Amino acid sequence: MPKEIVADIGKELIKVGVVEDGELVELYIEKRLNESIVGNIYKGRVANVLKGMQAAFINIGLDKNAFLYVGDIKRDMVDDGEIFEKVDAFSINEMLKPGQDVVVQVIKDPMGTKGARVTTNITLAGRFLVLMPLVDNIGISRRIEDEKERERLKTIVNDIKVPPYGIIIRTAAEACTKEELEEDLKYLIRLWEDIKKSAKDLKSPALIYKDMDFLLRIARDIFTNEVAKFHVNEKEAYEKIIDYCKNIAPEFKEKVVFYENRLDLFKYFNIEKEIEKALSKKVWLKSGGYIVIDKTEALTVIDVNTGKYIGSVDLEDTVLTTNLEAAKEIAKQIRLRDIGGIILIDFIDMASEEHKRKVLEYLDAQFKKDRTKTQILDITALGLVEVTRKKIRQSIYEILGKVCPYCEGSGKIISYSNQNCPPCI
């Protein structure tokens, strides 16, 4: 079954699911009143500089000041409207001063008590390319695997590249012509020139550039040649996507399907059950084994168990079969739940080094399907697999869930208490 996008537009939530081979593999949810600001560019003002933390807090006009780490300060900063470079400075207090103006881009949404995380390394995403105005090099998506195609795209981009701009070639650029890539690059350079002009003219704190809204970002980043249908159930959203297609790929208009009288597309496509599964702590495997996903403030821990599965050959075969099935489900759940940060996976112990290698290679192959950068770091002395995944915005559980007022998120209450814990029962 081909890849499809299902956009269910509700009064409070916009839910978008990506379905591959009949299975929900990616889920994006945004509250209408809590729009993501990732990608937005602001002219901010340095509120304070913390030398001990090698970080600064930037007033960008939001309720909480944004956090700027020294490693996210490379070259581009704005002081009184002038662009300048600080390549020899290493300490945060030498690079920034309270009251100084600086152009920053949001790379992580505000979460809980923390403000947004920002960077001075601006990137602007087009349909096929990402412009890096401050880094003069060329990168290419790891999801383009054909070496001949990679070389072809790199050759084209080398020809059209305009110094000092750097370029990342996106997955959607596969099979693109030189003309298509050149047009995308010209648009992004014009956009950057407008942003620089605005940075000079505006008084901080101010929004300089607002990234596309939620649905249009989905269309830009996911609606590629691989997608057979884009289903949507709201007229305004449908027209917005159609207008976008007219400008970037008129042939895509035929793929957009509008459901006039079907209010709940997720129920129609049987996606609600997958969301329930994505919110569950325990996920059963087809064999009878299961995985348990526990989230703490600092990391996520995933435990693998054989459960009801007893195998048919021997213990080693039973363990290997369960771990391989779990590896596939773990990669799917991490992608589906949008879990970010540090992840520890406790597979069932394997005596065979060959089996360990087989499970890790299979897990790595499953992670390659993920658009978000995911990396297997190592196996600890205790046999835990360490994984990191880039965290940009809140996970699905953080968006849809809330802390129980009785147990305060622990899932347990004192046994001699008369309180019940309805949300946790």
Side-chain angles (χ1 to χ4, degrees):
M1 186 177 175
K3 187 174 180 179
E4 297 186 355
I5 300 172
V6 180
D8 192 346
I9 318 296
K11 290 182 180 179
E12 296 181 2
L13 295 174
I14 301 175
K15 299 180 290 186
V16 178
V18 179
V19 179
E20 291 178 1
D21 299 322
E23 280 194 350
L24 181 69
V25 294
E26 291 179 30
L27 180 62
Y28 303 91
I29 298 178
E30 184 166 281
K31 293 180 180 178
R32 282 185 177 262
L33 298 178
N34 190 25
E35 188 178 10
S36 172
I37 61 170
V38 171
N40 288 2
I41 299 173
Y42 295 85
K43 183 174 183 178
R45 179 170 296 166
V46 179
N48 56 334
V49 179
L50 306 178
K51 184 180 178 181
M53 290 179 63
Q54 283 295 290
F57 287 96
I58 313 295
N59 178 10
I60 58 174
L62 302 181
D63 293 339
K64 298 185 183 80
N65 288 337
F67 179 81
L68 176 62
Y69 176 62
V70 68
D72 293 319
I73 305 171
K74 299 294 184 185
R75 299 177 182 179
D76 179 46
M77 295 189 290
V78 176
D79 186 11
D80 297 326
E82 294 298 323
I83 305 287
F84 68 95
E85 292 188 352
K86 287 272 189 178
V87 291
D88 297 322
F90 296 97
S91 181
I92 187 82
N93 61 311
E94 293 177 301
M95 302 170 80
L96 296 173
K97 305 293 181 186
Q100 178 182 333
D101 285 345
V102 57
V103 172
V104 293
Q105 184 172 40
V106 177
I107 55 174
K108 190 181 290 186
D109 275 324
M111 296 181 194
T113 58
K114 297 178 180 178
R117 182 165 176 174
V118 295
T119 178
T120 61
N121 282 323
I122 311 299
T123 59
L124 298 172
R127 187 173 172 226
F128 306 122
L129 304 172
V130 175
L131 182 72
M132 300 183 291
L134 314 167
V135 182
D136 190 6
N137 59 25
I138 295 174
I140 186 167
S141 168
R142 59 191 172 93
R143 297 186 72 185
I144 300 176
E145 297 179 348
D146 184 270
E147 284 301 322
K148 287 184 179 179
E149 178 63 7
R150 291 176 71 89
E151 287 304 315
R152 185 187 75 87
L153 290 170
K154 285 180 182 178
T155 301
I156 291 173
V157 169
N158 262 317
D159 287 343
I160 66 173
K161 184 176 172 295
V162 180
Y165 301 125
I167 297 169
I168 298 172
I169 303 166
R170 307 189 71 182
T171 307
E174 196 165 10
C176 277
T177 64
K178 181 177 181 179
E179 290 72 24
E180 288 174 319
L181 297 176
E182 196 166 21
E183 191 62 34
D184 205 34
L185 179 60
K186 286 178 180 177
Y187 160 73
L188 292 172
I189 291 175
R190 286 197 303 270
L191 181 59
W192 172 241
E193 292 300 324
D194 289 342
I195 288 169
K196 285 201 296 184
K197 184 177 183 302
S198 296
K200 292 180 180 180
D201 297 340
L202 290 172
K203 183 179 179 182
S204 64
L207 174 65
I208 300 173
Y209 166 76
K210 187 178 186 300
D211 199 6
M212 291 178 170
D213 68 24
F214 181 55
L215 268 183
L216 289 184
R217 288 200 308 272
I218 293 291
R220 179 190 68 194
D221 298 339
I222 303 176
F223 195 15
T224 62
N225 291 321
E226 297 175 336
V227 177
K229 295 289 181 184
F230 193 138
H231 308 273
V232 63
N233 63 346
E234 185 190 73
K235 186 70 173 175
E236 184 182 345
Y238 169 76
E239 290 173 349
K240 187 184 293 185
I241 295 167
I242 289 293
D243 285 342
Y244 176 75
C245 290
K246 285 178 182 176
N247 294 323
I248 59 103
E251 67 276 14
F252 279 21
K253 290 190 297 178
E254 304 301 320
K255 297 182 178 183
V256 186
V257 183
F258 174 53
Y259 294 75
E260 189 169 5
N261 297 316
R262 198 171 302 281
L263 297 178
D264 197 334
L265 279 186
F266 270 33
K267 281 186 179 178
Y268 178 69
F269 283 94
N270 205 27
I271 292 175
E272 288 292 351
K273 289 183 180 179
E274 289 292 326
I275 296 180
E276 290 175 14
K277 192 175 177 181
L279 293 172
S280 175
K281 183 176 178 179
K282 181 185 285 189
V283 179
W284 287 95
L285 307 174
K286 290 179 182 178
S287 66
Y290 64 89
I291 61 174
V292 177
I293 303 173
D294 265 317
K295 180 136 182 27
T296 71
E297 189 171 343
L299 52 82
T300 300
V301 180
I302 303 176
D303 186 36
V304 181
N305 296 275
T306 53
K308 303 172 187 176
Y309 181 58
I310 58 173
S312 58
V313 181
D314 54 32
L315 178 60
E316 283 194 18
D317 180 75
T318 301
V319 169
L320 176 62
T321 302
T322 305
N323 280 340
L324 286 172
E325 189 180 4
K328 183 177 181 180
E329 188 64 34
I330 286 167
K332 176 187 170 183
Q333 290 298 323
I334 288 173
R335 184 180 172 192
L336 187 59
R337 297 173 189 229
D338 204 8
I339 298 171
I342 302 169
I343 303 164
L344 290 179
I345 305 172
D346 187 9
F347 285 107
I348 304 168
D349 288 340
M350 293 172 284
S352 167
E353 291 298 322
E354 183 185 348
H355 286 184
K356 289 179 184 178
R357 178 184 53 77
K358 195 171 184 178
V359 170
L360 286 181
E361 286 177 354
Y362 187 65
L363 180 65
D364 188 49
Q366 296 302 310
F367 280 146
K368 285 179 180 176
K369 300 175 184 178
D370 195 346
R371 293 191 316 114
T372 301
K373 187 178 180 181
T374 308
Q375 186 177 6
I376 298 173
L377 297 179
D378 203 357
I379 300 180
T380 69
L382 296 175
L384 301 174
V385 177
E386 294 178 317
V387 175
T388 61
R389 187 173 186 269
K390 191 174 181 181
K391 187 177 176 80
I392 298 174
R393 48 183 64 88
Q394 289 181 309
S395 69
I396 300 306
Y397 188 82
E398 289 167 323
I399 295 172
L400 297 179
K402 61 180 180 180
V403 177
C404 168
Y406 296 93
C407 70
E408 296 183 344
S410 70
K412 296 180 181 179
I413 56 172
I414 304 301
S415 59
Y416 57 74
S417 169
N418 291 325
Q419 288 182 329
N420 290 320
C421 188
C424 298
I425 293 175

